[in-house]
Amino acid sequence: MASALDNPLLFLLALILFPLSVIAQTNGRISLGSSLSTSDNFSWVSPSGYFAFGFKPVADKNLFLLAIWFDKVPEKTIVWSAQRGNLVLYGSKVELKSSGQLVLSNNQGQEIWTAQVTNGSATSAAILDTGNLVLWNSNSGITWQSFDQSTDTILPSQILDMGTTLSSRETETNYSSGKFELRFQTDGNLVLYTTNLLTNYLYNAYWSSGTAGTDSQMIFNQSGYIYLRQTNGSVHNLTSGAIVSTTNFYHRATLDFDGVFRQYTYPKNGSSNRNWPAGSWSVVWSVPSDICMAIRDDFGSGACGFNSYCMIDETQRPSCHCPLDYSYFDPNNTFSGCKPDFVSQSCEPDGPGKDHGPQFQLIEMANTDWPMSDFEHYNPFNEDQCREACMVDCFCAVAIFRGTDCWKKKLPLSNGRFNSGVGGKALIKVPVVNSSSQFPFLP
């Protein structure tokens, strides 16, 4: 049977039907007029094939994120995305237009995102082996690059200037901006903050590099080390200890959805590297070491949601739990906070506990606290006095007793944490009728 190469008409037809996105990458450069669609199942890849740019299905086969990802890592870990969590529907398209603009259009043909180029219009584009998507002008000058528009991740060879911000995801699977930010401030200090998502108001910092007062750049070098290089010649290292080679390992540093900034490695040969876990990213270092204890603020919920408490699990990551007779607002998101599964103690004279015997009790949880929800403090007090003070107060949801101190807490509870260093005990007020119910996880 004759092939398309034997028939010029068949060959021409094959070229017409073959996706332009693939043809455009034969020399590593993406030419003007090239496009990708959610329907063609293709992506633009780096020369080595390490990285890819295109549409990635997220959560639902009909929803897509325009993103860059590690293409040879099984889970296709995303390192950058356009429009963060604004997903597009099937039929959307990204195109390097003949005008030199990289444009994302939705399935109705409306342009919803454009790479804001400088130094003239782009004449070509490429996804580099560094994971950087670049647009070039006719003089091979960069007119736009994804490295200048970081979302939650940085990669080797990337340099951040002062004034740059990384924002966490909202959840592990929701790529919208979350409540944590890593800010490389204009004073030279690298700082982690929690934020109010509605107003972008910054709450108190929960970690900083302590380098304020020096002009510097944050560098993730090609050897896999992250450091602040200051204009006076000094270097402030962030990566701690020895690092594995970038030749044999993928590297990334991500401000994760849980508020911890972590540097990761992944063996390029996958399971063939017997000294490293197959099929997973390994943490090289992270800050802060215990985010449950690091966040302490008068505002916001803390590392976990309101009315929950945070603890570091066996994987050294924060996990969020509800007290007895409380349940998650969203069972699919344990960081969403908790709500009471009972009607609170009545403040009416004839309410529960007044004429019909005790309707509430105090359940103990050692080494647990919600330090920023106080409305009353007694000292000196013994435990019996602390218990009584909470039981007769309809506003008291929890009492904390430690030494000779007693604090009464109101809802919503914030900055909850469990840690052996907390000391004392939490006395949580719950209905007696549920006292025989199955306890959730208790430390």
Side-chain angles (χ1 to χ4, degrees):
M1 181 182 293
S3 70
L5 293 177
D6 298 322
N7 188 321
L9 290 178
L10 288 177
F11 181 66
L12 179 61
L13 180 61
L15 285 179
I16 294 172
L17 295 176
F18 199 65
L20 183 58
S21 57
V22 177
I23 300 171
Q25 274 212 283
T26 54
N27 295 318
R29 294 257 181 148
I30 301 160
S31 59
L32 297 179
S34 302
S35 66
L36 294 170
S37 171
T38 58
S39 59
D40 59 28
N41 200 31
F42 285 99
S43 57
W44 295 334
V45 296
S46 67
S48 65
Y50 290 158
F51 292 94
F53 168 74
F55 290 101
K56 191 174 188 299
V58 176
D60 186 307
K61 292 183 179 179
N62 198 43
L63 294 173
F64 298 82
L65 187 67
L66 182 61
I68 298 170
W69 61 84
F70 283 97
D71 203 39
K72 293 188 176 181
V73 172
E75 60 265 37
K76 309 293 185 184
T77 305
I78 290 175
V79 298
W80 179 88
S81 60
Q83 285 205 312
R84 291 306 301 259
N86 292 331
L87 304 179
V88 295
L89 294 170
Y90 184 85
S92 299
K93 181 176 74 170
V94 62
E95 180 181 7
L96 183 59
K97 291 181 170 290
S98 57
S99 61
Q101 301 289 320
L102 183 66
V103 175
L104 170 65
S105 300
N106 62 20
N107 61 343
Q108 302 297 316
Q110 300 170 317
E111 295 182 1
I112 58 174
W113 175 83
T114 302
Q116 300 298 321
V117 301
T118 59
N119 302 322
S121 299
T123 56
S124 62
I127 175 73
L128 307 181
D129 280 336
T130 58
N132 191 15
L133 176 66
V134 298
L135 304 183
W136 283 300
N137 61 23
S138 57
N139 298 319
S140 295
I142 294 177
T143 66
W144 181 91
Q145 58 180 338
S146 59
F147 271 13
D148 288 338
Q149 313 292 326
S150 299
T151 50
D152 63 356
T153 297
I154 58 173
L155 299 167
S157 78
Q158 192 164 358
I159 297 175
L160 301 184
D161 293 321
M162 293 186 301
T164 303
T165 298
L166 299 183
S167 297
S168 69
R169 302 175 188 174
E170 187 170 329
T171 68
E172 193 167 10
T173 56
N174 185 334
Y175 292 85
S176 300
S177 295
K179 68 178 183 178
F180 301 101
E181 286 190 0
L182 177 67
R183 291 201 170 197
F184 190 15
Q185 299 181 160
T186 54
D187 63 359
N189 206 12
L190 189 66
V191 185
L192 284 168
Y193 290 100
T194 53
T195 67
N196 182 306
L197 291 176
L198 292 177
T199 64
N200 293 321
Y201 175 80
L202 295 179
Y203 298 140
N204 290 335
Y206 59 93
W207 176 88
S208 74
S209 61
T211 53
T214 57
D215 292 339
S216 56
Q217 288 181 312
M218 182 177 175
I219 297 174
F220 197 168
N221 72 14
Q222 292 181 333
S223 298
Y225 287 88
I226 304 175
Y227 55 91
L228 302 181
R229 183 177 62 193
Q230 299 166 347
T231 54
N232 62 11
S234 61
V235 170
H236 182 88
N237 289 314
L238 296 174
T239 301
S240 56
I243 199 76
V244 293
S245 167
T246 53
T247 302
N248 300 317
F249 289 81
Y250 299 112
H251 287 248
R252 65 179 171 95
T254 301
L255 176 58
D256 287 325
F257 79 96
D258 58 16
V260 180
F261 185 54
R262 299 181 178 93
Q263 183 175 347
Y264 293 91
T265 59
Y266 192 107
K268 290 183 177 179
N269 293 327
S271 59
S272 65
N273 193 317
R274 290 177 292 179
N275 297 322
W276 291 83
S280 64
W281 290 91
S282 297
V283 178
V284 177
W285 64 273
S286 63
V287 290
S289 57
D290 185 343
I291 192 170
C292 300
M293 298 295 289
I295 298 179
R296 187 182 179 94
D297 202 297
D298 290 328
F299 302 100
S301 63
C304 295
F306 289 110
N307 298 328
S308 63
Y309 62 92
C310 176
M311 64 179 293
I312 300 300
D313 65 18
E314 65 277 3
T315 68
Q316 300 305 302
R317 292 176 179 270
S319 59
C320 303
H321 305 273
C322 296
L324 175 68
D325 289 331
Y326 286 69
S327 59
Y328 296 114
F329 278 110
D330 179 359
N332 297 316
N333 177 15
T334 59
F335 285 77
S336 63
C338 305
K339 63 183 187 299
D341 294 330
F342 55 89
V343 177
S344 298
Q345 183 179 14
S346 174
C347 290
E348 296 298 323
D350 59 348
K354 299 300 190 298
D355 299 327
H356 310 288
Q359 301 295 309
F360 288 85
Q361 62 179 333
L362 297 176
I363 300 297
E364 293 187 14
M365 289 182 63
N367 297 311
T368 307
D369 195 4
W370 288 267
M372 310 309 293
S373 304
D374 309 334
F375 70 92
E376 188 62 271
H377 178 211
Y378 303 106
N379 180 282
F381 242 36
N382 60 38
E383 184 173 344
D384 285 341
Q385 290 173 309
C386 188
R387 286 174 172 270
E388 179 65 16
C390 186
M391 284 295 292
V392 299
D393 188 339
C394 60
F395 295 113
C396 181
V398 173
I400 302 296
F401 180 72
R402 188 182 302 114
T404 60
D405 288 288
C406 176
W407 293 268
K408 291 197 292 189
K409 311 282 183 177
K410 61 184 181 300
L411 296 180
L413 304 168
S414 61
N415 290 273
R417 73 275 312 275
F418 165 79
N419 185 285
S420 59
V422 169
K425 62 181 70 174
L427 305 170
I428 304 170
K429 186 185 290 184
V430 297
V432 172
V433 68
N434 289 333
S435 62
S436 61
S437 61
Q438 183 66 35
F439 274 63
F441 175 86
L442 290 176

